[in-house]
Amino acid sequence: MANNKSDAAKKTPSMKVKKGDTVLVLSGKDKGAKGRVIAAYPKLQKVLVEGVGRVKKHTRISTNQRGAQQGGIVTQEAPIHVSNVMVIDSEDKPTRVGYRKDEEGRSIRVSRRTGKDL
């Protein structure tokens, strides 16, 4: 067996879409929708976008500490693949994301379309 790495030793792939970005959905049932990224999951290569990928989830009825019952059918967002979204820049247009180094050597995300910082 040549070069088998354990799961702990594998490096998680980086994603150019971060939490808080505004994105445009490129494909799927919500194509054309814009929304804010609520959460990013780099290991799964997925993002959770506000108002996009809504699914119905059936939850079991349970009682909380005050005695109120909760349960039934809940509508919530489901993660979508990062390749199906594109970051929106300051001019409200979709763009690819690039990187540049600043004076201190930190990476800064830039718009490939305009060259401005994101």
Side-chain angles (χ1 to χ4, degrees):
M1 303 293 170
N3 213 359
N4 281 342
K5 290 185 178 181
S6 67
D7 287 345
K10 288 182 183 174
K11 185 176 180 280
T12 59
S14 65
M15 292 194 322
K16 296 181 177 182
V17 180
K18 306 281 185 225
K19 179 179 175 180
D21 285 348
T22 304
V23 294
L24 174 74
V25 179
L26 302 176
S27 64
K29 64 179 182 177
D30 293 309
K31 180 178 180 177
K34 290 182 184 178
R36 197 172 47 82
V37 175
I38 301 168
Y41 307 108
K43 286 184 180 177
L44 302 173
Q45 290 285 291
K46 295 192 176 216
V47 289
L48 200 63
V49 182
E50 198 171 53
V52 173
R54 309 277 291 177
V55 293
K56 299 222 184 252
K57 182 178 179 182
H58 294 70
T59 58
R60 182 179 293 256
I61 294 175
S62 61
T63 56
N64 62 9
Q65 291 176 340
R66 295 191 179 97
Q69 290 190 338
Q70 291 180 325
I73 302 170
V74 179
T75 305
Q76 64 183 35
E77 289 95 357
I80 59 174
H81 199 268
V82 72
S83 66
N84 295 333
V85 298
M86 200 171 216
V87 176
I88 293 176
D89 63 3
S90 58
E91 295 176 11
D92 211 38
K93 298 229 175 144
T95 180
R96 291 183 177 169
V97 178
Y99 291 95
R100 70 170 178 82
K101 299 278 187 186
D102 68 352
E103 304 83 45
E104 286 93 49
R106 290 191 298 253
S107 289
I108 295 177
R109 297 188 312 153
V110 293
S111 166
R112 289 278 190 179
R113 202 175 60 80
T114 61
K116 295 178 183 174
D117 293 357
L118 289 175

